[in-house]
Amino acid sequence: MFGDTLPVARRYAELLADAGVQRGLIGPREVPRLWERHLMNCAVVEELLPDGAEVVDIGSGAGLPGLVLAILRPDLSVTLLEPLLRRTVFLQESVDLLGLSNVTVRRGRAEEVKKEVRADFVTARAVAPLPKLAKWALPLLRTGGSLLALKGEQAEAELEEARADLSRQRPCVADVIRVGRGKVDPATTVVRVTVTTESDPAAPSRGQRASRGRKKRGRKR
């Protein structure tokens, strides 16, 4: 799956298993299953990202899924948004050690940057329940942009309970999709919430134009 970027992904896995555990970002019990439960689970989300997309990973923590996607897809522009200092220190050290030129680490909360950040996609994994997550993520999206929230087995039920709340926050459509079939078992469950109209007239709409002009990426394997 990682192709030419596999050596970088391996180095990142080593960082998670070492400094990530020492600093409390990854539990020691997760080390034996770092690849199948974490790296691969996050990597397959790249199927949903077109070439050159701008991605903001909120509550990035140890870099899952944002750093994994940045390693796998050098064409992406990824911002890792994380409020805790010790986590941003680890993220910046990892970006520097891995030599990733397509990643920006930013300390802060989504609600603090909503007036200055617009992205094609916002990603999140194990950050918050969907209504709260959408409240943070939707203001960061351009029209046509999507929140991609990695969720578990109860994703459909969580989405149905949250639909009315999502629509009140911003005009959008939402669905549950599974990616990575045949690559990971079980497939990764993603709740996708896509902004349909621009509620802020001052916000740029580059994402809408780009989504029409880009060819959806399918990695050759």
Side-chain angles (χ1 to χ4, degrees):
M1 183 181 297
F2 283 90
D4 294 340
T5 66
L6 181 58
V8 183
R10 284 177 171 160
R11 179 65 181 124
Y12 175 51
E14 291 170 357
L15 291 170
L16 287 175
D18 186 4
V21 173
Q22 292 177 17
R23 301 183 193 185
L25 304 181
I26 291 288
R29 293 184 179 180
E30 298 302 309
V31 172
R33 51 188 183 181
L34 272 178
W35 282 94
E36 62 269 24
R37 181 162 182 169
H38 298 287
L39 274 72
M40 299 289 284
N41 176 263
C42 293
V44 294
V45 176
E46 70 95 13
E47 296 176 9
L48 303 175
L49 303 175
D51 287 339
E54 295 181 15
V55 180
V56 175
D57 187 44
I58 62 175
S60 198
L64 303 167
L67 202 48
V68 175
L69 294 171
I71 291 170
L72 181 62
R73 293 279 301 279
D75 63 287
L76 301 176
S77 176
V78 179
T79 297
L80 306 178
L81 186 61
E82 168 56 52
L84 296 184
L85 177 61
R86 64 185 178 90
R87 294 177 179 173
T88 56
V89 169
F90 172 81
L91 291 171
Q92 189 61 63
E93 289 176 355
S94 298
V95 168
D96 294 341
L97 286 169
L98 299 174
L100 299 175
S101 60
N102 61 331
V103 181
T104 299
V105 177
R106 182 164 181 170
R107 186 184 177 194
R109 301 179 184 278
E111 55 267 39
E112 297 170 347
V113 302
K114 65 182 181 181
K115 293 185 180 298
E116 54 188 287
V117 173
R118 286 296 182 274
D120 302 315
F121 294 90
V122 172
T123 56
R125 183 177 189 251
V127 173
L130 193 54
K132 183 178 291 186
L133 179 59
K135 183 178 180 180
W136 298 334
L138 295 188
L140 306 183
L141 290 167
R142 298 184 174 103
T143 301
S146 298
L147 163 64
L148 304 176
L150 281 69
K151 291 288 186 177
E153 296 179 354
Q154 301 302 314
E156 283 88 354
E158 184 176 357
L159 174 57
E160 288 309 310
E161 290 181 7
R163 280 192 186 277
D165 189 82
L166 298 180
S167 297
R168 283 193 295 268
Q169 292 184 38
R170 199 169 174 189
C172 62
V173 293
D175 59 352
V176 175
I177 51 179
R178 287 173 174 80
V179 292
R181 295 184 187 276
K183 302 169 189 174
V184 292
D185 186 20
T188 299
T189 301
V190 177
V191 175
R192 178 174 56 186
V193 183
T194 301
V195 175
T196 55
T197 58
E198 188 56 72
S199 57
D200 179 3
S205 58
R206 174 182 172 277
Q208 187 177 33
R209 296 192 300 271
S211 65
R212 290 197 295 265
R214 290 175 186 151
K215 181 180 179 181
K216 195 167 183 178
R217 182 183 180 107
R219 289 180 62 85
K220 296 180 180 179
R221 297 180 175 86

